[in-house]
Amino acid sequence: MPPEDNHRVDVHLDKLLTKRGLTLTELADRVGITLANLSVLKNGRARAIRFSTLTALCHELECQPGDLFTVRPPT
Amino acid sequence: MGFIERLRKPDWLQEMQTTLTFVLVVIAVLGGLTVIPLVTGDSLVAQVPTRAVAGVAGASGDLRPGVVIDPHGTVDVLVRNPDAGQVVDKALISMPTYLVTVTVLVLLLGVLRRARRDNPFLPATVRRLRVIAVVVLVGGQLAFTIETVAAMDLSARVTNKHMGTIFDVTPVGIWLLLGFGFFAIAEVVNRGRAMRAELDSVI
């Protein structure tokens, strides 16, 4: 069984949504994932993301993965 | 799916479900065939030690030279017009295992049906498999105990206090193995459930 992962990944979905003038619901519809899952991602509670989902998000938000995620330095 | 297609790509859950249903029907029929004569019949067969029957132990009859009836074994005897106690004993010699087996098969059929219909890696599936394991472990040992005591009691009732039955502990081992087997399968499914939960958290 894999160990519990405490990640240091910050998700900048809110900023990008505001920039593109999209709501979470609209983005979820366009990307093809549920609003619940997108909320989980936005709040940093996701454990992993599929490349296909990442591609779709970056396409809709017109960004790169590095714009969407940053890794905090260790404390 | 056509018949040929089914032969090439069997759905083992479906095959097992069909087989279990068939076995349950057969067992129900056999159970009925066992119980009905007990209730309506005027005789029953009991096992007694050979030493309880004069002239049998060590006898050879039509057996080849050097072959005799085992003096430490048992023989089947016909009990005419058995009393209620003897009938109850006879029923208790086979019904417990029959009941445990039917219960387990019905529970297993339920698990298979749900596994085919939904996602099999659910907490409920793990729970049901563990219930089956407990039924097998506890029910099996209980059945063995009841059947052994009933066999000994029946032998005592039809002879002059000769308590005799071959004390075969094989069923104890079989029930234990089956019980632990179901617990192991439940654990495998439980790990699958955990992995599935992990996968479900992938966005």
Side-chain angles (χ1 to χ4, degrees), chain A residues 12 54 58 63-70:
Chain A
H12 308 295
L54 182 58
C58 290
C63 67
Q64 289 295 310
D67 300 323
L68 197 50
F69 304 112
T70 51

Side-chain angles (χ1 to χ4, degrees), chain B residues 60-82:
Chain B
S60 55
D62 278 338
L63 299 172
R64 291 194 174 188
V67 179
V68 298
I69 303 290
D70 182 4
H72 305 293
T74 59
V75 290
D76 287 347
V77 296
L78 190 68
V79 181
R80 291 202 175 89
N81 301 313

Side-chain angles (χ1 to χ4, degrees), chain B residues 39-99:
Chain B
V39 173
T40 61
D42 57 3
S43 66
L44 57 83
V45 174
Q47 243 182 14
V48 298
T50 52
R51 64 184 186 278
V53 184
V56 170
S60 55
D62 278 338
L63 299 172
R64 291 194 174 188
V67 179
V68 298
I69 303 290
D70 182 4
H72 305 293
T74 59
V75 290
D76 287 347
V77 296
L78 190 68
V79 181
R80 291 202 175 89
N81 301 313
D83 60 37
Q86 289 163 342
V87 171
V88 168
D89 274 341
K90 182 67 180 177
L92 287 178
I93 284 170
S94 57
M95 292 313 287
T97 294
Y98 173 81
L99 287 172

Side-chain angles (χ1 to χ4, degrees), chain A residues 1 47-50 53, chain B residues 194 198-199 201-203:
Chain A
M1 298 285 286
R47 287 184 164 195
I49 183 168
R50 291 187 175 87
T53 307
Chain B
E198 184 92 14
L199 192 61
S201 69
V202 174
I203 306 298

Side-chain angles (χ1 to χ4, degrees), chain B residues 5-74:
Chain B
E5 194 69 18
R6 274 188 64 182
L7 283 179
R8 283 200 287 120
K9 295 185 200 172
D11 175 353
W12 290 112
L13 285 181
Q14 185 182 353
E15 302 303 328
M16 184 62 174
Q17 190 177 328
T18 307
T19 306
L20 271 183
T21 308
F22 174 74
V23 167
L24 268 171
V25 168
V26 168
I27 287 179
V29 168
L30 288 178
L33 291 175
T34 307
V35 167
I36 292 169
L38 259 184
V39 173
T40 61
D42 57 3
S43 66
L44 57 83
V45 174
Q47 243 182 14
V48 298
T50 52
R51 64 184 186 278
V53 184
V56 170
S60 55
D62 278 338
L63 299 172
R64 291 194 174 188
V67 179
V68 298
I69 303 290
D70 182 4
H72 305 293
T74 59

Side-chain angles (χ1 to χ4, degrees), chain B residues 59-190:
Chain B
S60 55
D62 278 338
L63 299 172
R64 291 194 174 188
V67 179
V68 298
I69 303 290
D70 182 4
H72 305 293
T74 59
V75 290
D76 287 347
V77 296
L78 190 68
V79 181
R80 291 202 175 89
N81 301 313
D83 60 37
Q86 289 163 342
V87 171
V88 168
D89 274 341
K90 182 67 180 177
L92 287 178
I93 284 170
S94 57
M95 292 313 287
T97 294
Y98 173 81
L99 287 172
V100 172
T101 304
V102 167
T103 304
V104 167
L105 290 180
V106 166
L107 289 173
L108 194 54
L109 197 57
V111 169
L112 282 173
R113 207 176 277 143
R114 285 182 186 89
R116 284 191 67 212
R117 199 176 55 215
D118 301 319
N119 163 27
F121 298 108
L122 294 171
T125 309
V126 178
R127 217 171 25 246
R128 288 186 189 103
L129 285 169
R130 285 180 179 156
V131 165
I132 293 175
V134 169
V135 168
V136 167
L137 274 177
V138 175
Q141 303 311 325
L142 209 58
F144 171 77
T145 306
I146 292 170
E147 288 171 1
T148 302
V149 169
M152 290 171 75
D153 190 58
L154 181 59
S155 177
R157 282 175 187 271
V158 302
T159 61
N160 294 326
K161 299 298 183 194
H162 286 269
M163 304 269 279
T165 185
I166 297 173
F167 198 74
D168 181 12
V169 295
T170 308
V172 173
I174 291 173
W175 287 121
L176 275 176
L177 195 61
L178 279 174
F180 287 139
F182 274 111
F183 268 125
I185 291 169
E187 186 54 30
V188 168
V189 173
N190 191 35

